Amino acid sequence: MMKHFKYVFLSACTAATLVVGSLSAYAAPKVATLPIASVQSSEVKEALAQNWIPKALQEKAGSYSAVTEKDFNDALFAASKAAGASLDITFSLAEESLSREKAASLLDKIINVPYAKKFGYNDIPLNSPYESSILNVRQAELMNGISSQSFGYGKPLTNEDAAVLAYRVYKYLLPFTLPEASITEMQKAMESGRLTSEELVQQYLTRIEKYDDKGPALNAILTLNPEAIHIAKALDAERAERGPRGPLHGIPIIVKDNIDTVDMPTTSGCICLEGAMAPDDAAQVKKLKDAGAIILAKSNLHEFAFGYTTVSSLGGQTLNPYDLTRVPGGSSGGTGAAIAANFAAVGLGTDTGGSIRVPSSFNSLVGIRPTVGLSSVDGIAPLAHAQDTGGPIARSVEDAALILNATAGYDPNDVSTAKSVGFVPEDYTAYLDKEGLKGARIGIVREVFGTNPEVNQVMNQAIEDMKKAGAIIVDDVKIPNFAEINKYGSLSAWEFKFNFNDYLKSLGAEAPFHSLDDIIKSGKYHPSNEQMLQQRNSRESLNSEEYKDILLHRTKLAQEAILKMMADNQLEALIFPTSANPPVKIDNTQMKEYQNIGEGFKLSSFTFWPTVTVPAGFTSDGLPVGMDFFGRAFSEATLLKLAYSFEQNTHHRKAPELTP
C-alpha cells in the first residue's frame, strides 16, 4: 500500500541494532525500568546532538518519561525537513503518552515497505490493527522489539526513544547515495522501501548519460537496454507481491558485448556484427536474469577480445576513468571503466589471457577468472574456447562473490562444466572472513613481477599488509620449468578461426557474416587487428602437432609445475601483480604503444585455474594497481576468503574523481 509521502530515498540506515527501547521493560505508563542510554548511549547522544531535534525532546531526555503524540509528530516533521523531504500526512496533536505500537503505526505512514517478512513477537494480540505496521517498521530497520521475542506492545515510548527514531527517519529520508553502493546496501534499501529498482535503474542511466556520453565521455557503453525501466517496474511489482528472488533481485548489471543477450545486439565490438542478434541468452546471462538481475547495458571491449587497450571499430576507444589519457585495460575494458565509474552495480566480463584481470587491475576493481568449467561459456563469442571463461567484475569481493553464486555450476550445453559438479559451494559469501589471511601460507612469485618500480612498490607494501593481517609469507617461490612453459605459443592463434566460425553459425541465417574469411574480405573491422585476423585465418586445421602440444603438453606441464611448487611449500595461494606495468597512454591514431602486462597472467590462463584480482593500491600519479590471488582448480572459495581479508584490512578501492 502506497504511503502519502513525497519520496526521497537514501542508503542504508546506520543503526546496527535496529532497537528503539529494545532495552526496556516498562513498569509504569510513564517510567522505564531500564534507560535506553545504557545500551544505545552512542546513538542517543548522536540523535540529541542534531540541531533540528525539537527542544521538547532534548529537555526531557534523561528522565525516561513517555513522549507525547504531539512531541513525536513534531520530531518526525523536523526530521523530514532536515532531510529535504516533505510529509503529506495528518498526525494527531494529542498530548497523550504514545505507545510503542502507535508509534509504529505513525512511522508506517512515512515508509513504503514493499514486502514485510513475518516475525514472531509473542506479545502482539491476535488480530491487532497494529501488527502490519510493526512488521513494516522492523523491515524498514527503523524500530525493533524490546527483545527478540517481545515488541513491547502496550508499553510507552520514551522521549529518548523518540529522538532516536526521529534521527533514523532523518537518515531514512536522505537521498540514496548511489556511487560505491554495494549490492547488499541496494538490496536493503529496496527491502526497506527507501528505494525501488526502477529508481535505481534510472539513477544509473543518468550517470551513464552524464559521464559516458558527456563530461569525461568514457565511451564504455555500446548499447543501453531499452526495456530496463520496464523490467525494473515488473521486478518491483514481483517484490511487493512475493518478495525478492534473492540478493540480485532488481540489481542492474552491465555485460561485455561478446556475451549473448537475446534482447540486445552482441557485436564483439566489431562494426561487422553491428545489429547482430543472438537466438538466446548466454548461459550466465540467463542465470543472472533468473536470479532477478537486470541487464542494463552492453559494454565496449577490445575488438574480438584481442588486446588490452579496449579499442574497437564499433565503439572506438574507451578511456580510463582515473586518467583519461590512459587505456582502461582489456579486453573487458568497457565493463571495467563502467563499473569503476558506477554505471551499474556489477559487470560481467570474459577472460582468455587476462581480459577480466587486467581491466580490474587498471580500474581499482575486483575480478574473478573462474576455473575453466566452473561457469558456462555457452553464448560467449570465443577467442580460444579451451581457455575462455566468463566472470564478474565488481567494486568489492562480496559483490563479485554474489555474482559467482548466480553464474557458477553445471550447464548441459557446456560439457566442460561437468567438471564443476561437487566443487561449487552453496554460497561463496559464506567464506568471506576478515581474518581469512591469519595463518594462511601465501607464496610470492617474484619472477613475474617485472621491473616497474611503482608497481613493485605497491606490491611490496601489499605483502607487508598481508603479514600484518597474519599471513605467513613464503617469498620468491620458483615455478619449475617456467622457461619451458613460456616457449609454447598461444591457443587463440590456433582456435579463434574455427571457434568463431562456429559461433557465427549459431547466430543463424540472419547473421551479417557467416565466416571469418568473409569478415576480413569486407574490411569492416578495426585496422589495428588486420595482422592478427590474417594470421588466425591462415590456419587450415586443428589437426596439428603444434596445436596439440599447446593444448595438452603446455597445460599438463603448467599444472604439474604449480601443483608441485604449492605442495612443496604448503601454500594456499600465490600472489603477484596482475599487470607488471601500469596502463599506457592512448595513441589516438594507431594505438602504437603496446600494453605489456608481463607473464603473471599465464599461470591462470595456461593451467585453466582460478584467479581473484583485488585492488592493491595506486602509483604515485594515481593509477590503480591490482594484485592476483591464484590457486588450484576450483579453489575459488579459498581465494575469495584471502582476497576479502586483504580488502577489508586495506580498503584500497577508491572511486575515480572524474565521475563523482
Side-chain angles (χ1 to χ4, degrees), residues 22-210:
S22 76
L23 351 123
S24 332
Y26 293 91
K30 300 220 173 187
V31 181
T33 59
L34 181 64
I36 186 171
S38 66
V39 177
Q40 295 178 310
S41 58
S42 61
E43 191 176 14
V44 171
K45 184 177 180 181
E46 192 174 353
L48 292 173
Q50 304 301 309
N51 58 14
W52 51 263
I53 287 284
K55 287 185 179 180
L57 292 189
Q58 293 178 331
E59 291 171 355
K60 295 173 185 176
S63 67
Y64 313 118
S65 59
V67 70
T68 66
E69 288 189 36
K70 180 182 181 304
D71 285 349
F72 187 57
N73 293 338
D74 288 346
L76 294 182
F77 275 104
S80 68
K81 184 178 180 181
S86 61
L87 300 182
D88 184 20
I89 303 171
T90 301
F91 287 127
S92 166
L93 299 180
E95 295 285 354
E96 301 171 3
S97 62
L98 184 65
S99 67
R100 289 175 54 80
E101 63 271 16
K102 192 164 186 180
S105 72
L106 295 175
L107 293 172
D108 194 25
K109 294 179 181 180
I110 296 172
I111 62 179
N112 185 35
V113 172
Y115 183 85
K117 299 172 184 174
K118 290 290 183 182
F119 192 75
Y121 291 126
N122 58 22
D123 63 337
I124 301 177
L126 191 65
N127 298 322
S128 166
Y130 297 108
E131 181 177 14
S132 64
S133 291
I134 290 170
L135 294 177
N136 284 340
V137 297
R138 183 182 184 278
Q139 179 76 13
E141 302 187 342
L142 288 178
M143 187 178 184
N144 208 341
I146 63 174
S147 72
S148 60
Q149 293 82 33
S150 177
F151 177 71
Y153 198 98
K155 300 184 185 303
L157 193 76
T158 71
N159 284 280
E160 284 191 351
D161 292 350
V164 170
L165 278 175
Y167 182 46
R168 292 178 183 176
V169 167
Y170 160 74
K171 291 184 286 184
Y172 181 101
L173 297 177
L174 286 172
F176 179 79
T177 305
L178 186 67
E180 300 298 288
S182 69
I183 290 175
T184 297
E185 289 168 339
M186 294 174 199
Q187 205 59 244
K188 284 183 177 181
M190 288 189 282
E191 288 179 3
S192 67
R194 294 185 288 265
L195 181 68
T196 65
S197 180
E198 179 186 356
E199 290 164 334
L200 185 58
V201 166
Q202 187 56 64
Q203 288 190 50
Y204 277 130
L205 290 175
T206 299
R207 286 187 63 83
I208 290 171
E209 181 182 13
K210 184 176 182 179

Side-chain angles (χ1 to χ4, degrees), residues 281-332:
D281 285 322
Q284 292 197 44
V285 169
K286 183 180 185 304
K287 285 187 173 186
L288 289 170
K289 288 182 176 181
D290 289 346
I294 301 166
I295 308 304
L296 181 66
K298 303 291 288 290
S299 54
N300 196 25
L301 66 152
H302 199 109
E303 189 171 272
F304 298 118
F306 276 178
Y308 298 121
T309 54
T310 301
V311 61
S312 71
S313 59
L314 186 61
Q317 175 67 58
T318 298
L319 311 182
N320 190 312
Y322 291 89
D323 182 342
L324 302 181
T325 70
R326 306 271 178 171
V327 303
S331 62
S332 309

Side-chain angles (χ1 to χ4, degrees), residues 250-499:
I251 299 297
I253 293 177
I254 287 174
V255 173
K256 184 180 181 181
D257 201 25
N258 65 341
I259 304 175
D260 285 350
T261 47
V262 72
D263 46 2
M264 286 180 281
T266 303
T267 69
S268 291
C270 184
I271 199 168
C272 64
L273 293 178
E274 186 173 15
M277 300 297 293
D280 53 14
D281 285 322
Q284 292 197 44
V285 169
K286 183 180 185 304
K287 285 187 173 186
L288 289 170
K289 288 182 176 181
D290 289 346
I294 301 166
I295 308 304
L296 181 66
K298 303 291 288 290
S299 54
N300 196 25
L301 66 152
H302 199 109
E303 189 171 272
F304 298 118
F306 276 178
Y308 298 121
T309 54
T310 301
V311 61
S312 71
S313 59
L314 186 61
Q317 175 67 58
T318 298
L319 311 182
N320 190 312
Y322 291 89
D323 182 342
L324 302 181
T325 70
R326 306 271 178 171
V327 303
S331 62
S332 309
T335 310
I339 301 308
N342 286 270
F343 292 169
V346 283
L348 196 64
T350 66
D351 191 304
T352 306
S355 290
I356 286 174
R357 294 163 282 170
V358 175
S360 296
S361 173
F362 288 179
N363 290 279
S364 193
L365 296 169
V366 175
I368 302 176
R369 172 187 161 87
T371 305
V372 171
L374 182 77
S375 302
S376 177
V377 295
D378 180 59
I380 293 177
L383 180 56
H385 188 73
Q387 196 170 299
D388 292 340
T389 187
I393 296 176
R395 290 184 292 271
S396 71
V397 174
E398 181 183 39
D399 285 355
L402 287 171
I403 297 299
L404 196 62
N405 277 346
T407 54
Y410 175 64
D411 172 20
N413 294 320
D414 179 359
V415 68
S416 73
T417 59
K419 295 181 293 186
S420 72
V421 175
F423 292 99
V424 183
E426 184 176 341
D427 182 7
Y428 283 105
T429 67
Y431 294 85
L432 306 185
D433 179 7
K434 184 178 180 180
E435 304 301 321
L437 281 167
K438 193 169 290 183
R441 290 177 63 86
I442 309 293
I444 315 301
V445 191
R446 291 198 180 268
E447 62 186 308
V448 299
F449 269 44
T451 59
N452 186 278
E454 294 262 9
V455 172
N456 290 344
Q457 182 177 345
V458 169
M459 285 299 303
N460 288 333
Q461 182 59 54
I463 292 167
E464 292 304 311
D465 290 338
M466 283 191 285
K467 289 179 182 177
K468 291 177 185 177
I472 300 168
I473 300 299
V474 183
D475 209 343
D476 201 17
V477 293
K478 302 294 185 183
I479 302 169
N481 304 314
F482 197 41
E484 183 182 350
I485 294 168
N486 275 332
K487 290 179 181 177
Y488 285 95
S490 164
L491 268 181
S492 68
W494 283 90
E495 291 190 354
F496 177 73
K497 170 186 175 178
F498 307 101
N499 294 167

